[in-house]
Short mmCIF file of all heavy atoms in Angstrom, two decimals:
data_model
loop_
_atom_site.label_atom_id
_atom_site.label_comp_id
_atom_site.label_asym_id
_atom_site.label_seq_id
_atom_site.Cartn_x
_atom_site.Cartn_y
_atom_site.Cartn_z
N GLY G 1 -5.46 14.63 13.49
CA GLY G 1 -4.12 14.11 13.22
C GLY G 1 -3.97 12.65 13.52
O GLY G 1 -2.85 12.12 13.55
N GLY G 2 -5.08 11.93 13.71
CA GLY G 2 -5.02 10.50 13.98
C GLY G 2 -4.49 9.73 12.78
O GLY G 2 -4.67 10.13 11.63
N PHE G 3 -3.83 8.60 13.04
CA PHE G 3 -3.33 7.78 11.94
C PHE G 3 -3.35 6.31 12.32
O PHE G 3 -3.56 5.94 13.48
CB PHE G 3 -1.92 8.22 11.52
CG PHE G 3 -0.83 7.87 12.49
CD1 PHE G 3 -0.19 6.63 12.45
CD2 PHE G 3 -0.42 8.78 13.45
CE1 PHE G 3 0.82 6.31 13.34
CE2 PHE G 3 0.59 8.47 14.35
CZ PHE G 3 1.21 7.23 14.29
N ILE G 4 -3.08 5.49 11.32
CA ILE G 4 -2.88 4.06 11.51
C ILE G 4 -1.74 3.65 10.59
O ILE G 4 -1.64 4.15 9.47
CB ILE G 4 -4.15 3.23 11.22
CG1 ILE G 4 -3.89 1.75 11.49
CG2 ILE G 4 -4.65 3.45 9.80
CD1 ILE G 4 -5.15 0.89 11.41
N SER G 5 -0.85 2.79 11.09
CA SER G 5 0.29 2.35 10.28
C SER G 5 0.53 0.87 10.51
O SER G 5 0.29 0.34 11.60
CB SER G 5 1.55 3.15 10.64
OG SER G 5 1.97 2.84 11.97
N GLY G 6 1.00 0.21 9.46
CA GLY G 6 1.34 -1.21 9.56
C GLY G 6 2.69 -1.46 8.91
O GLY G 6 2.84 -1.28 7.70
N GLN G 7 3.70 -1.87 9.73
CA GLN G 7 5.03 -2.16 9.20
C GLN G 7 5.16 -3.66 8.95
O GLN G 7 4.94 -4.48 9.83
CB GLN G 7 6.12 -1.68 10.15
CG GLN G 7 7.52 -1.84 9.57
CD GLN G 7 8.60 -1.35 10.49
OE1 GLN G 7 8.82 -1.92 11.56
NE2 GLN G 7 9.30 -0.28 10.09
N TYR G 8 5.56 -4.01 7.71
CA TYR G 8 5.65 -5.40 7.27
C TYR G 8 7.06 -5.94 7.44
O TYR G 8 8.03 -5.17 7.50
CB TYR G 8 5.22 -5.50 5.81
CG TYR G 8 3.72 -5.40 5.59
CD1 TYR G 8 3.08 -4.18 5.68
CD2 TYR G 8 2.96 -6.54 5.32
CE1 TYR G 8 1.71 -4.08 5.49
CE2 TYR G 8 1.57 -6.45 5.12
CZ TYR G 8 0.96 -5.23 5.21
OH TYR G 8 -0.40 -5.14 5.03
N PRO G 9 7.20 -7.25 7.46
CA PRO G 9 8.53 -7.85 7.52
C PRO G 9 9.35 -7.51 6.28
O PRO G 9 8.80 -7.13 5.24
CB PRO G 9 8.24 -9.37 7.57
CG PRO G 9 6.84 -9.47 8.07
CD PRO G 9 6.13 -8.25 7.56
N ALA G 10 10.67 -7.62 6.38
CA ALA G 10 11.56 -7.22 5.30
C ALA G 10 11.39 -8.11 4.07
O ALA G 10 11.19 -9.33 4.18
CB ALA G 10 13.00 -7.26 5.79
N VAL G 11 11.46 -7.47 2.91
CA VAL G 11 11.40 -8.15 1.61
C VAL G 11 12.64 -7.74 0.83
O VAL G 11 12.98 -6.54 0.77
CB VAL G 11 10.12 -7.73 0.84
CG1 VAL G 11 10.07 -8.45 -0.51
CG2 VAL G 11 8.88 -8.02 1.65
N LYS G 12 13.31 -8.72 0.19
CA LYS G 12 14.47 -8.39 -0.62
C LYS G 12 14.02 -7.89 -1.99
O LYS G 12 13.25 -8.55 -2.68
CB LYS G 12 15.40 -9.59 -0.77
CG LYS G 12 16.73 -9.23 -1.42
CD LYS G 12 17.75 -10.35 -1.31
CE LYS G 12 19.10 -9.89 -1.87
NZ LYS G 12 20.14 -10.94 -1.73
N ILE G 13 14.52 -6.73 -2.37
CA ILE G 13 14.08 -6.06 -3.59
C ILE G 13 15.08 -6.29 -4.72
O ILE G 13 16.30 -6.29 -4.50
CB ILE G 13 13.90 -4.55 -3.34
CG1 ILE G 13 12.88 -4.31 -2.23
CG2 ILE G 13 13.48 -3.83 -4.62
CD1 ILE G 13 11.50 -4.86 -2.54
N ARG G 14 14.55 -6.46 -5.93
CA ARG G 14 15.37 -6.60 -7.12
C ARG G 14 15.12 -5.41 -8.05
O ARG G 14 14.11 -4.72 -7.94
CB ARG G 14 15.05 -7.91 -7.87
CG ARG G 14 15.38 -9.18 -7.11
CD ARG G 14 15.09 -10.39 -7.98
NE ARG G 14 15.28 -11.64 -7.26
CZ ARG G 14 15.03 -12.84 -7.78
NH1 ARG G 14 14.60 -12.93 -9.04
NH2 ARG G 14 15.21 -13.94 -7.06
N ASP G 15 16.06 -5.24 -8.97
CA ASP G 15 15.91 -4.17 -9.96
C ASP G 15 14.65 -4.41 -10.78
O ASP G 15 14.40 -5.52 -11.27
CB ASP G 15 17.14 -4.15 -10.88
CG ASP G 15 17.11 -2.95 -11.82
OD1 ASP G 15 16.80 -1.84 -11.37
OD2 ASP G 15 17.38 -3.15 -13.02
N GLY G 16 13.83 -3.36 -10.94
CA GLY G 16 12.58 -3.47 -11.69
C GLY G 16 11.37 -3.76 -10.84
O GLY G 16 10.24 -3.71 -11.35
N ASP G 17 11.55 -4.07 -9.55
CA ASP G 17 10.40 -4.30 -8.68
C ASP G 17 9.62 -3.00 -8.51
O ASP G 17 10.19 -1.90 -8.50
CB ASP G 17 10.86 -4.81 -7.31
CG ASP G 17 11.33 -6.25 -7.34
OD1 ASP G 17 11.26 -6.87 -8.43
OD2 ASP G 17 11.77 -6.76 -6.29
N ARG G 18 8.32 -3.16 -8.32
CA ARG G 18 7.44 -1.98 -8.17
C ARG G 18 6.42 -2.25 -7.07
O ARG G 18 5.95 -3.38 -6.90
CB ARG G 18 6.71 -1.65 -9.48
CG ARG G 18 7.62 -1.51 -10.68
CD ARG G 18 6.86 -1.02 -11.90
NE ARG G 18 6.53 0.39 -11.81
CZ ARG G 18 7.34 1.36 -12.22
NH1 ARG G 18 8.51 1.09 -12.73
NH2 ARG G 18 6.97 2.63 -12.10
N PHE G 19 6.06 -1.17 -6.34
CA PHE G 19 4.92 -1.22 -5.43
C PHE G 19 3.71 -0.68 -6.16
O PHE G 19 3.75 0.42 -6.74
CB PHE G 19 5.17 -0.39 -4.17
CG PHE G 19 3.96 -0.28 -3.28
CD1 PHE G 19 3.69 -1.25 -2.33
CD2 PHE G 19 3.07 0.79 -3.39
CE1 PHE G 19 2.58 -1.15 -1.51
CE2 PHE G 19 1.95 0.89 -2.58
CZ PHE G 19 1.70 -0.09 -1.64
N ARG G 20 2.60 -1.43 -6.12
CA ARG G 20 1.40 -1.03 -6.85
C ARG G 20 0.17 -1.22 -5.97
O ARG G 20 0.09 -2.15 -5.16
CB ARG G 20 1.23 -1.84 -8.14
CG ARG G 20 2.24 -1.47 -9.22
CD ARG G 20 2.16 -2.37 -10.41
NE ARG G 20 2.92 -1.85 -11.52
CZ ARG G 20 3.34 -2.56 -12.55
NH1 ARG G 20 3.08 -3.84 -12.61
NH2 ARG G 20 4.01 -2.00 -13.53
N ALA G 21 -0.79 -0.32 -6.16
CA ALA G 21 -2.07 -0.39 -5.43
C ALA G 21 -3.02 0.61 -6.05
O ALA G 21 -2.62 1.49 -6.83
CB ALA G 21 -1.88 -0.10 -3.95
N LEU G 22 -4.29 0.46 -5.71
CA LEU G 22 -5.28 1.50 -5.99
C LEU G 22 -5.71 2.08 -4.65
O LEU G 22 -5.95 1.34 -3.70
CB LEU G 22 -6.51 0.91 -6.71
CG LEU G 22 -6.29 0.32 -8.10
CD1 LEU G 22 -7.58 -0.29 -8.63
CD2 LEU G 22 -5.76 1.37 -9.06
N VAL G 23 -5.78 3.40 -4.56
CA VAL G 23 -6.17 4.05 -3.31
C VAL G 23 -7.45 4.86 -3.53
O VAL G 23 -7.60 5.52 -4.56
CB VAL G 23 -5.06 4.95 -2.75
CG1 VAL G 23 -3.84 4.13 -2.37
CG2 VAL G 23 -4.67 6.04 -3.74
N ASN G 24 -8.34 4.79 -2.57
CA ASN G 24 -9.58 5.56 -2.61
C ASN G 24 -10.31 5.39 -1.28
O ASN G 24 -9.87 4.65 -0.40
CB ASN G 24 -10.46 5.15 -3.78
CG ASN G 24 -10.98 3.72 -3.71
OD1 ASN G 24 -12.15 3.46 -3.95
ND2 ASN G 24 -10.13 2.75 -3.39
N CYS G 25 -11.40 6.10 -1.14
CA CYS G 25 -12.25 5.96 0.05
C CYS G 25 -13.31 4.90 -0.22
O CYS G 25 -13.71 4.68 -1.37
CB CYS G 25 -12.92 7.29 0.40
SG CYS G 25 -11.76 8.60 0.89
N GLN G 26 -13.77 4.28 0.83
CA GLN G 26 -14.82 3.27 0.69
C GLN G 26 -16.13 3.93 0.24
O GLN G 26 -16.42 5.06 0.62
CB GLN G 26 -15.02 2.53 2.01
CG GLN G 26 -15.93 1.31 1.93
CD GLN G 26 -16.02 0.60 3.27
OE1 GLN G 26 -16.00 1.25 4.32
NE2 GLN G 26 -16.12 -0.72 3.25
N TYR G 27 -16.87 3.22 -0.58
CA TYR G 27 -18.11 3.78 -1.11
C TYR G 27 -19.05 4.16 0.03
O TYR G 27 -19.26 3.41 0.98
CB TYR G 27 -18.80 2.76 -2.02
CG TYR G 27 -20.08 3.26 -2.64
CD1 TYR G 27 -20.04 4.20 -3.66
CD2 TYR G 27 -21.32 2.82 -2.19
CE1 TYR G 27 -21.21 4.68 -4.23
CE2 TYR G 27 -22.49 3.29 -2.75
CZ TYR G 27 -22.43 4.22 -3.76
OH TYR G 27 -23.58 4.70 -4.32
N GLY G 28 -19.61 5.37 -0.06
CA GLY G 28 -20.55 5.86 0.95
C GLY G 28 -19.91 6.66 2.06
O GLY G 28 -20.62 7.28 2.86
N ALA G 29 -18.56 6.68 2.12
CA ALA G 29 -17.87 7.46 3.17
C ALA G 29 -17.69 8.89 2.66
O ALA G 29 -16.58 9.34 2.35
CB ALA G 29 -16.53 6.83 3.51
N TYR G 30 -18.80 9.62 2.57
CA TYR G 30 -18.82 10.91 1.87
C TYR G 30 -17.93 11.97 2.51
O TYR G 30 -17.48 12.89 1.82
CB TYR G 30 -20.27 11.42 1.80
CG TYR G 30 -21.21 10.45 1.12
CD1 TYR G 30 -22.19 9.78 1.85
CD2 TYR G 30 -21.10 10.19 -0.24
CE1 TYR G 30 -23.05 8.87 1.23
CE2 TYR G 30 -21.95 9.29 -0.87
CZ TYR G 30 -22.92 8.63 -0.12
OH TYR G 30 -23.75 7.74 -0.74
#
């Protein structure tokens, strides 16, 4: 149940803004 979290400073959001990323495991971490 271990975790890691990082909370960022506030950002003002506008209509149409999106959060985007690619998620996966690092190569070789079988």
Side-chain angles (χ1 to χ4, degrees):
F3 72 87
I4 182 172
S5 67
Q7 186 179 67
Y8 284 76
V11 180
K12 189 169 184 177
I13 301 300
R14 295 184 185 177
D15 186 44
D17 286 358
R18 307 187 74 88
F19 173 86
R20 288 174 168 160
L22 296 177
V23 295
N24 65 135
C25 295
Q26 189 178 35
Y27 181 73
Y30 303 110

